[in-house]
Amino acid sequence: MTNDPSEIRHLFDRIAPVYDQLNQWLSLGQHRIWKKMAVKWCDLEPGEIGLDVCCGSGDLAELLAREVGATGQVYGVDFSPRLLAIAKARATYHYPPLTLHWIEADALDLPFQDNFFHGATMGYGLRNVTDIPGCLRELYRVLKPGAKAAILDFHRPQHPALRQFQQWYLDTIVVPRAKSLGLEQEYAYITPSLERFPTGKQQVELAHHAGFSRATHYPIAGGMMGVLVVRKP
């Protein structure tokens, strides 16, 4: 996958119409359960302010908005205008309305003041940023002292049999389905991105280097998925 931010943005603009569908395939149909787990780990309360970085089509941001209620606020941030348009359109169907703000911005340069959010999530975004340590530092900056963030993403499992199954699934299920939608090239990047992505242990170390006082990585689905939960001192 390219390290050019504009190319990454264009990639996600192209896959925007089928983003949710392909996430469903990639996660074996389980991504909604895992997202609910991530939201619970944030410990947001009614009336607080939440952040969803790399919000995509907005489902994690919507879950956060339900946690903070009508008196709270949630900001969904993504650098793909097409994904943000989908997120905004989806949110209009909620009744009562959710207090959501959609912001087009880079995860490496968040347009918020220091110590602003009570909690944050990030779903399938950390693996795609061009500077993972920088992204964690920026997340640390905008969180209030004591706030938690939960970062959900796909991983390479350590067990050889599970790694083999994951690669078989990508090669025979995900990429062919993407190809049928004219997106083979866009989804062929998944394998190299998994190879480059830091392991759970490495993510914990990076989180500590970014300033977080607590960092725990929870492997899910045999290590094919994981959630990094961090807390700002």
Side-chain angles (χ1 to χ4, degrees):
M1 183 176 177
T2 177
N3 282 325
D4 182 347
S6 64
E7 282 298 312
I8 300 172
R9 182 183 296 110
H10 292 324
L11 184 151
F12 280 94
D13 277 341
R14 291 193 298 272
I15 67 175
V18 293
Y19 181 78
D20 286 333
Q21 187 178 358
L22 287 168
N23 271 346
Q24 182 80 355
W25 295 338
L26 277 168
S27 67
L28 305 173
Q30 301 298 302
H31 71 106
R32 299 189 193 284
I33 296 171
W34 299 333
K35 286 174 179 174
K36 288 179 180 178
M37 292 169 60
V39 168
K40 290 300 181 185
W41 267 313
C42 289
D43 291 335
L44 280 172
E45 299 288 342
E48 293 187 331
I49 306 173
L51 169 68
D52 183 32
V53 185
C54 301
C55 66
S57 58
D59 49 355
L60 255 175
E62 291 173 11
L63 291 172
L64 289 176
R66 291 193 184 100
E67 294 293 308
V68 302
T71 57
Q73 298 182 69
V74 169
Y75 291 79
V77 175
D78 204 287
F79 67 176
S80 165
R82 292 192 70 185
L83 279 171
L84 284 172
I86 292 170
K88 187 174 182 179
R90 274 182 29 163
T92 61
Y93 291 102
H94 287 277
Y95 186 84
L98 300 171
T99 310
L100 284 159
H101 310 281
W102 305 106
I103 308 291
E104 184 180 337
D106 193 328
L108 301 177
D109 186 19
L110 296 171
F112 306 107
Q113 64 191 39
D114 297 356
N115 309 312
F116 188 68
F117 294 100
H118 295 93
T121 53
M122 189 175 189
Y124 315 122
L126 191 65
R127 183 170 42 86
N128 296 313
V129 299
T130 57
D131 180 3
I132 290 175
C135 183
L136 291 171
R137 288 193 299 269
E138 187 67 351
L139 186 59
Y140 175 91
R141 180 185 68 79
V142 300
L143 287 173
K144 291 179 177 290
K148 294 168 67 177
I151 301 167
L152 171 70
D153 220 314
F154 299 109
H155 291 69
R156 270 296 194 208
Q158 299 301 305
H159 194 283
L162 287 171
R163 286 174 69 94
Q164 186 176 14
F165 167 77
Q166 184 188 61
Q167 194 58 51
W168 171 86
Y169 186 77
L170 289 171
D171 292 341
T172 62
I173 306 295
V174 176
V175 172
R177 289 192 178 182
K179 183 178 181 180
S180 72
L181 298 168
L183 297 169
E184 180 184 19
Q185 205 169 12
E186 285 78 2
Y187 269 77
Y189 85 88
I190 294 172
T191 294
S193 75
L194 286 168
E195 295 294 347
R196 290 193 301 266
F197 196 42
T199 64
K201 182 179 179 181
Q202 291 169 336
Q203 288 179 39
V204 168
E205 293 172 357
L206 290 170
H208 286 309
H209 288 155
F212 291 102
S213 57
R214 296 183 188 176
T216 307
H217 185 270
Y218 298 96
I220 304 172
M224 289 187 286
M225 181 72 57
V227 181
L228 176 67
V229 181
V230 296
R231 185 184 184 98
K232 185 170 177 176

